[in-house]
Amino acid sequence: MLRPLLCLCALIALTSAQWSYQQTFTESSVLDISSCPITYYGQQYEQLYVNITSGNVTACFNGFFSPETGGDCVVERSLGAESFYFAIYSYHYYYGYDYCYFYIRFNNMYLYHFKYGTQRYLYVYNYNSDPTVFELQVGGTTVDTVTLTAYASYSFSISGCRHSGQMYRPGTVISSDPETCFSLTCHETAFLNISSCGPLERCQGNNICVSASTCTVTGPTVIDVHSQINSIQDRCAYSLFSTPSLPDFLVLGNFRDRRRKDVSFLDSVTLRVDGHDIHLEQGGRVQLDDSTLTLSSSPQLVHGVQLSQDQTGVTAKLSLSNLKISVFFDGYTAQILLEGPAGSSVEGLCGNSSRSLSDLRLSEYSSTSCEMQYSETADSTINCTSVTERCNLLKEAPFSSCNTDIDPEPYITACTDTLCKYPAVDGLNCQFLKAYARACRLQGNHTLDGWTSKTGCSSEAFCQDRTCSDHEFCGEKTVSGDTRCFCRAIFSSKYQEINSLGDPTVCMQDSASVTLVGCLLEDKHINYSALQLNYPTCRGQVDELTHMVTFGFNSSNSCGTVVTTNNSQVIYKNTIMTQNSMITRHNQVYIDFSCVQTQPDIKTATFRIRDSSVIQHITSGVWDYTLTMKAFTDAGRTQAVESSTEVQLNQKIWVELKSDGLDGDLVVMVTDSCWATDQPSPDSTPRYDLIINGCANPADQTVQVKENGLGTSNYFSFNMFEFTGGSGEVFLHCKLHLCPKQNNCVPTCPAGARRRRYARSKYEGEAFISMAWTH
């Protein structure tokens, strides 16, 4: 660019001058211009290489002129010179600006360089009668040329920028990519201006940068978007993220205990969207309200949320208003990436750290006892010095390349605070390092190549695809390193305090069961499938959801139950044991459990039968017969109980069931069941069973059944009783059926054996008969 030479008279009059150096040279020379360095199209130089010939004069800044290599030079062509005069001056302008210049004079021509503030100019003068040509070269390429006529002067602007060896004039856009929000410009004031999104921003496209911030929740620690730390001491649910502009959206974290009662860990993450709950849980399980979802690496849209899953964990993405939200959870660490306009309001533990924890606690998602605090003895096996060295790896390569974008100190603090009081098991040795590496990738686009090999960690999620119950968590076995479900410390403590492996026995009228805790069995290296009751066929049934193992028996299958009596009590007892052929001696298990049932209270009282016998006329199919129920006081059934007979409590009574009108060569009668109630209705309660499935109730040792299924009559005996608090009456009911004689109709009732189902035929019929007793 050419400019007319400006008069400097007034300017110089306002300055004070200092003469630095002046000399005449008769040969090519190197001159020191460090007191007034020249910035030549964006490159500063402190030496001047002057070469004089008869044909031209060159003043270069990066070495003597060479047509082969080129350079940054001012070239005068046509006249040349045999000598030159050099002078350099520096001034201080009265208004505070530095001002300096140097010049060379040759053959009645001048080459001036002026520096005034940030502006730099190069002036040329020709006081000859012949014209001459001046060229300005950058890297050997001519960028400006002027032909000076006789007695003329001009000025060049030598302001510019350099990038990748190229020169650019002020105001030039060197490169621009709207999709990455990157632009490189030579500014009007001649400095290289690089424009891109900041370290906490991301490019949205079309040269629009949006704020990007990450909140990390790992272990008991929350590192918010401002890199501030909160530590959760209880086992409640807390609001992690919400914003006033989105009242129907909430991200919450649920904290639970693991191996210690006094240290809590993030256990699950819930996204509340438009009234629906999307639960991200351990083992990669995702539930929509109460339904389990099956995910893959391909996003699945659920209520506006894009859900996907890979070997590293589960990701949920959604766009709400002008805010993009990404929630990642691997079962142990959650990271929330927020992208939106700078200054977007973020509330919850991830945002507004000024609110108290109690304000952010969500009672509707928490248990009633979640705030209870526990204390435990410190773990003496933990070496906190080694832990600190491990955590400080975040300040070493390759993590250090991310330290300027993501502050490692909050992650180091979270790491040391947790691992100095909780053992480095279950992937915790890598959990905080992995959380930092992912935050670097999410927010700063740092890949941290080689961090897994240096630390011995894996980028894959720990315990992925292993689902534990609510009272369990997934951890690693000490010896093998394999994973399994462990009992949570608070849950297991109630069993450990009483040295138990399960819950108390549940006793019913004619059955009993006991439930063992699967994770407690595994703690003792006991395989539940190798356990049995007294009979080997009676095994435990495992609940696939809770992993609880239940053993039980009932009147239909006693499983070898031993029944004893003690006055009015009936005691039935069984044992859970290991199969000796499958379990070594040190793992043998013997767990006795029993139930005690109290028979109807024995009191001094007398009963009288309302009718000495009950006769029922029955028609069933081809059979037309009468059925008689009659009671006796002797085993030979000769002393019938009359309406005037007084029967004492606990006195043995024999009851005969006899038919008339049946062909004993074709059919036999089988008593299926007999029971007593204190009301006339056979379906009323309470009910006391005497005969069940053709056999005596094993819970009542006074009951005996005789000749059942052998002919057209049978009988049974029991000790007389009454119902406590009842009407004072006892109603005895029996149900019978007919069975073809060619079939084996006798019920088989050895202890523990299954009753055989009787073959039915067209001759079979059912009958029902009742007898009443009163005080």
Side-chain angles (χ1 to χ4, degrees):
M1 178 182 296
L2 301 180
R3 292 185 176 91
L5 181 61
L6 301 176
C7 178
L8 303 177
C9 302
L11 177 63
I12 295 174
L14 295 175
T15 62
S16 60
Q18 178 182 355
W19 295 80
S20 299
Y21 181 81
Q22 51 188 333
Q23 184 177 347
T24 300
F25 296 87
T26 58
E27 61 183 1
S28 300
S29 303
V30 180
L31 308 176
D32 182 7
I33 57 172
S34 58
S35 62
C36 187
I38 185 171
T39 301
Y40 186 75
Y41 292 113
Q43 184 71 47
Q44 181 172 294
Y45 296 106
E46 296 183 350
Q47 286 185 311
L48 182 63
Y49 298 82
V50 179
N51 186 33
I52 54 176
T53 67
S54 59
N56 55 59
V57 177
T58 60
C60 298
F61 309 105
N62 57 348
F64 286 109
F65 177 75
S66 171
E68 291 78 16
T69 59
D72 289 356
C73 304
V74 179
V75 181
E76 181 279 326
R77 300 190 184 279
S78 305
L79 299 179
E82 295 179 355
S83 64
F84 69 93
Y85 175 81
F86 170 74
I88 185 166
Y89 303 88
S90 62
Y91 292 83
H92 181 71
Y93 184 40
Y94 288 160
Y95 297 122
Y97 290 100
D98 289 328
Y99 177 81
C100 70
Y101 72 91
F102 64 81
Y103 71 89
I104 58 174
R105 183 181 70 231
F106 54 93
N107 198 11
N108 291 325
M109 289 181 289
Y110 289 81
L111 175 63
Y112 278 90
H113 169 250
F114 290 94
K115 174 180 177 290
Y116 175 63
T118 60
Q119 300 300 312
R120 291 160 179 82
Y121 296 97
L122 199 62
Y123 292 89
V124 290
Y125 299 81
N126 180 15
Y127 292 124
N128 292 294
S129 58
D130 296 320
T132 187
V133 177
F134 280 88
E135 295 178 359
L136 275 60
Q137 296 184 352
V138 174
T141 301
T142 301
V143 296
D144 261 329
T145 302
V146 61
T147 300
L148 288 181
T149 60
Y151 308 106
S153 62
Y154 288 91
S155 67
F156 296 90
S157 173
I158 56 173
S159 298
C161 306
R162 301 286 183 99
H163 179 69
S164 300
Q166 298 295 315
M167 186 277 292
Y168 299 92
R169 296 189 184 279
T172 304
V173 176
I174 300 171
S175 65
S176 177
D177 184 359
E179 294 306 311
T180 61
C181 299
F182 176 84
S183 67
L184 185 63
T185 305
C186 183
H187 196 265
E188 293 291 347
T189 54
F191 70 87
L192 202 60
N193 182 42
I194 299 176
S195 174
S196 63
C197 295
L200 300 182
E201 294 180 324
R202 283 181 175 269
C203 183
Q204 188 174 282
N206 199 26
N207 282 328
I208 298 176
C209 293
V210 294
S211 173
S213 53
T214 301
C215 172
T216 296
V217 188
T218 184
T221 306
V222 180
I223 304 172
D224 66 21
V225 295
H226 310 293
S227 296
Q228 301 299 309
I229 285 182
N230 253 314
S231 184
I232 305 301
Q233 304 297 325
D234 55 29
R235 299 157 312 287
C236 302
Y238 287 88
S239 170
L240 298 180
F241 168 79
S242 64
T243 180
S245 61
L246 306 169
D248 295 327
F249 180 75
L250 171 70
V251 180
L252 64 96
N254 203 337
F255 294 81
R256 300 288 300 276
D257 61 300
R258 291 192 199 166
R259 295 179 186 262
R260 292 178 62 95
K261 294 184 287 185
D262 58 344
V263 182
S264 296
F265 292 86
L266 178 67
D267 191 68
S268 64
V269 174
T270 298
L271 282 70
R272 182 77 172 168
V273 185
D274 296 333
H276 295 276
D277 287 338
I278 300 175
H279 304 285
L280 313 183
E281 302 177 348
Q282 283 192 359
R285 183 171 61 181
V286 179
Q287 289 191 289
L288 173 62
D289 297 327
D290 295 325
S291 302
T292 301
L293 301 179
T294 301
L295 301 178
S296 67
S297 57
S298 299
Q300 178 179 337
L301 193 63
V302 179
H303 293 292
V305 181
Q306 287 187 334
L307 295 170
S308 61
Q309 182 178 22
D310 59 18
Q311 73 276 8
T312 65
V314 177
T315 301
K317 294 182 178 181
L318 69 160
S319 297
L320 299 171
S321 184
N322 58 352
L323 187 65
K324 290 185 178 180
I325 304 167
S326 174
V327 181
F328 170 82
F329 185 58
D330 64 2
Y332 296 86
T333 295
Q335 287 178 302
I336 304 173
L337 175 65
L338 307 173
E339 297 177 284
S344 297
S345 177
V346 177
E347 297 186 354
L349 285 175
C350 284
N352 186 356
S353 57
S354 63
R355 295 183 63 186
S356 66
L357 288 177
S358 59
D359 289 340
L360 298 173
R361 188 180 297 122
L362 302 173
S363 58
E364 63 269 31
Y365 289 93
S366 305
S367 67
T368 55
S369 61
C370 74
E371 297 180 51
M372 185 179 296
Q373 298 291 311
Y374 294 86
S375 62
E376 288 199 65
T377 305
D379 190 336
S380 60
T381 65
I382 296 176
N383 185 337
C384 197
T385 301
S386 299
V387 165
T388 303
E389 292 177 358
R390 173 75 173 178
C391 298
N392 277 325
L393 288 175
L394 292 179
K395 293 192 286 189
E396 301 178 8
F399 298 104
S400 56
S401 64
C402 177
N403 288 174
T404 55
D405 287 339
I406 306 294
D407 185 2
E409 291 300 332
Y411 293 83
I412 294 172
T413 300
C415 180
T416 54
D417 285 354
T418 303
L419 295 182
C420 280
K421 59 183 176 182
Y422 191 97
V425 295
D426 308 332
L428 270 181
N429 209 28
C430 293
Q431 182 169 316
F432 298 92
L433 307 181
K434 186 187 297 185
Y436 183 77
R438 183 170 179 83
C440 289
R441 187 170 76 253
L442 284 175
Q443 190 168 332
N445 291 320
H446 295 274
T447 57
L448 303 184
D449 293 337
W451 81 267
T452 54
S453 58
K454 178 174 181 176
T455 59
C457 299
S458 170
S459 59
E460 295 186 2
F462 180 74
C463 273
Q464 191 80 329
D465 299 325
R466 181 179 289 278
T467 302
C468 298
S469 66
D470 187 63
H471 62 265
E472 298 172 328
F473 69 94
C474 184
E476 60 187 354
K477 300 179 183 178
T478 305
V479 178
S480 65
D482 295 334
T483 61
R484 74 169 179 88
C485 293
F486 288 83
C487 290
R488 298 187 189 274
I490 296 174
F491 171 82
S492 62
S493 62
K494 63 182 180 181
Y495 298 99
Q496 294 168 348
E497 289 169 357
I498 59 175
N499 195 28
S500 172
L501 292 176
D503 294 320
T505 305
V506 177
C507 299
M508 303 297 288
Q509 181 175 339
D510 57 355
S511 65
S513 64
V514 64
T515 299
L516 304 183
V517 181
C519 52
L520 291 178
L521 292 175
E522 287 201 65
D523 286 347
K524 299 292 186 181
H525 307 291
I526 299 171
N527 186 347
Y528 82 90
S529 64
L531 299 178
Q532 63 173 61
L533 293 182
N534 286 343
Y535 278 1
T537 56
C538 296
R539 303 289 189 88
Q541 301 298 314
V542 64
D543 187 314
E544 296 299 333
L545 183 62
T546 65
H547 302 159
M548 306 290 271
V549 184
T550 301
F551 295 83
F553 59 84
N554 54 40
S555 58
S556 299
N557 189 3
S558 66
C559 294
T561 300
V562 177
V563 183
T564 59
T565 58
N566 180 14
N567 295 325
S568 63
Q569 293 182 327
V570 179
I571 304 168
Y572 44 101
K573 179 179 178 182
N574 213 315
T575 302
I576 301 173
M577 66 184 75
T578 53
Q579 299 174 341
N580 292 334
S581 61
M582 298 178 64
I583 305 295
T584 59
R585 175 170 292 276
H586 73 275
N587 277 336
Q588 286 184 342
V589 177
Y590 294 96
I591 303 174
D592 291 330
F593 67 101
S594 60
C595 276
V596 177
Q597 279 194 355
T598 302
Q599 297 187 85
D601 290 348
I602 306 299
K603 297 180 180 179
T604 301
T606 60
F607 289 84
R608 291 184 179 178
I609 196 169
R610 287 187 177 179
D611 299 297
S612 57
S613 63
V614 178
I615 301 174
Q616 189 95 2
H617 183 83
I618 298 173
T619 300
S620 177
V622 298
W623 301 108
D624 189 349
Y625 64 98
T626 57
L627 177 63
T628 302
M629 176 185 283
K630 193 168 185 177
F632 300 89
T633 58
D634 64 320
R637 304 186 304 288
T638 60
Q639 303 295 320
V641 176
E642 304 293 343
S643 58
S644 60
T645 304
E646 292 187 348
V647 178
Q648 303 297 318
L649 278 175
N650 214 27
Q651 179 180 341
K652 185 173 287 294
I653 298 295
W654 284 261
V655 177
E656 182 181 55
L657 295 166
K658 186 175 181 180
S659 65
D660 185 26
L662 295 175
D663 187 344
D665 294 329
L666 297 178
V667 70
V668 297
M669 187 174 69
V670 180
T671 300
D672 286 324
S673 57
C674 290
W675 67 98
T677 61
D678 66 352
Q679 299 293 328
S681 171
D683 298 324
S684 63
T685 56
R687 164 181 171 146
Y688 188 75
D689 289 307
L690 297 173
I691 299 175
I692 303 171
N693 291 334
C695 302
N697 182 358
D700 188 344
Q701 297 295 296
T702 70
V703 180
Q704 293 182 324
V705 182
K706 300 294 184 180
E707 299 180 5
N708 195 12
L710 294 178
T712 58
S713 65
N714 56 66
Y715 65 97
F716 64 94
S717 62
F718 65 97
N719 288 9
M720 195 64 198
F721 60 87
E722 71 171 346
F723 289 97
T724 302
S727 62
E729 297 181 319
V730 177
F731 297 87
L732 184 62
H733 316 280
C734 289
K735 184 180 289 186
L736 309 90
H737 77 270
L738 305 181
C739 179
K741 190 170 185 178
Q742 69 267 24
N743 294 345
N744 185 3
C745 301
V746 178
T748 52
C749 303
R754 289 188 177 274
R755 277 65 179 184
R756 179 158 29 87
R757 295 182 65 87
Y758 312 120
R760 300 278 180 170
S761 78
K762 66 180 180 180
Y763 299 110
E764 181 181 2
E766 290 189 346
F768 178 82
I769 193 168
S770 295
M771 175 180 284
W773 301 70
T774 187
H775 280 299

